[in-house]
Amino acid sequence: MSDRAQILARVRQQLGRAEDAPLAAPPPPVPQLGRAEPRSEAALLQQFGERLQAVGGHLHDGRADGGRAVLERLLQQHQPAAVLHSDAPSVLALVQSLPGTPWLPSTALRSAQFAAELGITSAQGAIADTGTLVLDFGVE
């Protein structure tokens, strides 16, 4: 008996299978992400929101005005003591446009960052099929 045959015989023995047992059917193919047909921006945004919600996230669409109205609504609703913000240019524009907000920069102490009740950042992209955000931390 070859080395290969001996190894396979030991594996079968450990699995409790007879040498002449039929092989199990292969698993079904993994579905590919994405679709061949184009989807509308509204459909993609809806799907992303559903996937994000499935993991406890909330989608707030601020494309109309750079996020200002959404952020104002969230600030009014939650009235946070501290709002952590990234240093992305689009976020810094929001920070400057709402001077009365208790902003906490991303350079603050880590303990203060974790204590912040609200956070705002930007994303470079989003994957609707998985609910994944693409973030660039600009680590140098």
Side-chain angles (χ1 to χ4, degrees), residues 108-135:
L109 293 174
R110 189 158 290 205
S111 59
Q113 291 181 21
F114 282 116
E117 299 156 306
L118 195 64
I120 181 170
T121 189
S122 64
Q124 282 61 44
I127 303 170
D129 288 326
T130 61
T132 302
L133 285 174
V134 179
L135 303 175

Side-chain angles (χ1 to χ4, degrees), residues 12-114:
R12 276 192 295 275
Q13 180 184 10
Q14 289 297 318
L15 292 174
R17 294 186 184 158
E19 187 171 338
D20 58 348
L23 295 175
V30 176
Q32 291 188 340
L33 295 178
R35 297 191 168 110
E37 71 275 1
R39 293 179 282 170
S40 70
E41 186 174 311
L44 289 169
L45 192 60
Q46 179 181 346
Q47 183 179 12
F48 177 79
E50 290 167 0
R51 298 290 197 273
L52 183 63
Q53 193 172 27
V55 294
H58 304 281
L59 176 65
H60 302 279
D61 186 356
R63 292 174 297 162
D65 65 352
R68 185 182 170 107
V70 169
L71 182 56
E72 287 177 327
R73 187 176 69 245
L74 290 170
L75 290 169
Q76 180 68 31
Q77 180 181 352
H78 297 283
Q79 298 186 359
V83 181
L84 179 63
H85 69 82
S86 72
D87 59 358
S90 58
V91 174
L92 291 176
L94 282 172
V95 168
Q96 292 170 357
S97 73
L98 296 167
T101 305
W103 295 114
L104 182 65
S106 60
T107 56
L109 293 174
R110 189 158 290 205
S111 59
Q113 291 181 21
F114 282 116

